[in-house]
Structure formats: structure tokens, C-alpha cells
Amino acid sequence: MSDSVLISEMTWTDYGKRVEDGKTPVLLPVGALEQHGPHLPMNCDTLIPTAVCERVARETGVLVAPPLEYGYKSQPKSGGGNHFPGTTSLDGETLVLMTRDIIKEFARHGVRQMAVVVGHTENLMFTIEACDLALRELRAQGVHDLRIMHMGYWEFSSEETLRKVFPDGFPSWNLEHAGVMESSVMLHLHPELVQFDKVPLHPPADFPAYDVYPVEPERIPATGALSSGKTATAEKGKYMLDEYVESISAALREEFRL
Ligand code: ZN
Ligand code: MN
């Protein structure tokens, strides 16, 4: 039997045996294809939660589903906006229905514990809606015992970590788009994908309290980053990633009695 934690690398028979009693949780990373400034690849929001899930799976014995590599439309104040070349997004309805269908399929296999691990802020309400619709439809089919954890991985940074990584003050997770955290984690995971000589040096974006649609690109930093990742290091990235893995593993153990 393969010792991979990735469902996609398993045979159907090995996978079936792992999930048939409903005791093995399945993690679903939900990312995006979105510009991340001039220095980071566009798959950050997929790659980071998928790496977190794989490490969590090796610690806790859960399985990881293939990530969703497209997400909901990038928003100016959390992802720079949807007007950049490369940023490739789904309508909300598409993301809801894709995620709902995937959850229902895992339930059909026997899975009764799942975690949706979001890597892109804009996905959150749509993936929550998918959990709700899947649970409602499964209840109508007589399945009452599926439990789903739903999270954005970045929420697992402790206050202590934020003080350490951002000694001059933590801006906000929204302004961290392509900033210090994502740049650091990418330097740790995939230095070959980071063009650190191109890291933007501009101050954090200054947005009003409201949004205007259609989006006016001139209100958004032209680099696509919402703050500077210039203080990013691979060491900070390892520190933050390790905390995500440890804290999410602990949460899974607690909720699913692993
Ligand atoms: Zn991101
Ligand atoms: Mn994003």
C-alpha cells in the first residue's frame, strides 16, 4: 500500500479501505490563480494551504484531496482586484457548486469528517455556502453524521508570532496580500519560484472604508502587492508554516478525536 497522504496518488481500493468506516478525515485545500506582485508566482494561495495540508496529514494520519486551484474573484482590498493579467477567477456560484459537489462525493465514499482549508480570502463565504448546501442535501438523503471544519489557514498565526514577524506592527491579513507572510512562506517552500530582487518596496495600500465597482485600477498599487514583502525571510516562513501545521493538527485532533 502506498504511504502517500494524497488521495490522487492512491489506488481506489487503498483509498476505499481508508475511508469506508468514516474515521479518516479528508482535507480539501481551496486556493486561487491570482497575481501576487512582481516577485511571487500566481499559485501562492493554492500552494501554501496544500503544503500545510500535506504536513498536517503526515502528522495526523488524515488524507488530502487535490486542491481547487481557482477561486472567487480577487477583490481590490484583499487581493489587488480582478483586472490583472493572469488572475483567473470563478463566479461565486461556480465555486459554491464545485465545492459542494466535491464534498458530496467524499461523503458518498464514506468520509464523515472533512476540513475545507482556504488559501484565498475571497473564497471564504462561498466555501461556507458550499458546506451548508452539501450538508443540507446530504441530510435529505439520510446522511446526518458528516462534520466539516472550515478555516482560513492564516488565522492560525498566534499574536506572539505576529509580534515577532511584524515588529513594526501587523498591517492586516488583507494588506498582507503578497506581503511578508506569503513571501516568507514561499521563500521557505519554493525559493526557486521567488524573484526576491523584484519585491515591491512601496508602503501598504491606503484604502477607503468602502469599495467602488467597477473597480478603478488606479486606486490599487500598480505592483499588485498590497504591502511590501521586503522583510520576508525563509526563516520567518518556516516559523509561520510550522505554527500553521502544529495548530491545525491540534484543531483536527480536538474536533475529530484523532
Ligand atoms: Zn495570497
Ligand atoms: Mn488571494
Side-chain angles (χ1 to χ4, degrees):
M1 194 184 277
S2 148
D3 58 2
S4 178
V5 298
L6 304 180
I7 287 172
S8 55
E9 294 183 352
M10 301 171 73
T11 64
W12 76 268
T13 48
D14 289 343
Y15 166 74
K17 277 181 220 139
R18 288 290 301 280
V19 301
E20 66 189 354
D21 66 359
K23 288 188 180 138
T24 302
V26 168
L27 311 183
L28 175 65
V30 187
L33 183 62
E34 182 188 41
Q35 69 76 23
H36 271 71
H39 64 303
L40 294 174
M42 291 195 289
N43 64 353
C44 290
D45 290 356
T46 305
L47 216 147
I48 298 173
T50 304
V52 169
C53 286
E54 287 184 31
R55 284 161 173 74
V56 166
R58 284 198 288 272
E59 290 228 343
T60 61
V62 307
L63 297 175
V64 183
L68 272 173
E69 301 199 47
Y70 299 89
Y72 183 65
K73 293 157 198 162
S74 182
Q75 293 299 300
K77 293 196 285 184
S78 50
N82 215 57
H83 52 287
F84 290 86
T87 296
T88 308
S89 306
L90 303 174
D91 284 354
E93 185 183 18
T94 313
L95 177 60
V96 169
L97 296 182
M98 279 181 71
T99 311
R100 179 206 65 180
D101 288 355
I102 291 166
I103 293 169
K104 287 172 65 187
E105 282 291 87
F106 285 119
R108 179 176 65 78
H109 309 155
V111 174
R112 290 297 178 267
Q113 297 173 319
M114 284 194 68
V116 176
V117 181
V118 172
H120 170 70
T121 310
E122 289 85 338
N123 289 345
L124 290 167
M125 283 302 156
F126 299 98
T127 46
I128 287 173
E129 173 72 351
C131 293
D132 186 63
L133 294 186
L135 289 169
R136 189 166 80 189
E137 293 175 24
L138 287 162
R139 275 196 301 274
Q141 296 166 16
V143 176
H144 296 274
D145 53 351
L146 174 65
R147 291 181 74 225
I148 310 172
M149 293 173 70
H150 181 276
M151 64 193 79
Y153 74 85
W154 58 89
E155 297 290 351
F156 288 81
S157 284
S158 64
E159 295 289 323
E160 190 197 335
T161 296
L162 295 183
R163 273 195 300 274
K164 205 162 154 176
V165 175
F166 301 91
D168 301 326
F170 174 61
S172 71
W173 282 125
N174 279 352
L175 289 178
E176 258 299 293
H177 173 73
V180 176
M181 184 274 279
E182 287 181 315
S183 299
S184 295
V185 174
M186 289 301 293
L187 279 170
H188 168 58
L189 284 175
H190 288 287
E192 76 285 2
L193 297 180
V194 181
Q195 300 182 46
F196 204 65
D197 55 319
K198 296 190 182 139
V199 71
L201 303 175
H202 56 71
D206 183 20
F207 292 120
Y210 52 85
D211 296 297
V212 176
Y213 297 99
V215 167
E216 293 159 357
E218 59 278 8
R219 291 171 176 247
I220 296 147
T223 64
L226 299 185
S227 58
S228 175
K230 64 175 183 280
T231 63
T233 66
E235 291 68 34
K236 286 179 186 172
K238 180 179 185 322
Y239 186 80
M240 297 189 92
L241 188 79
D242 285 349
E243 181 173 55
Y244 296 142
V245 173
E246 201 176 301
S247 306
I248 292 173
S249 297
L252 286 170
R253 287 194 181 102
E254 167 88 14
E255 290 297 331
F256 295 148
R257 310 245 178 278
L258 300 177

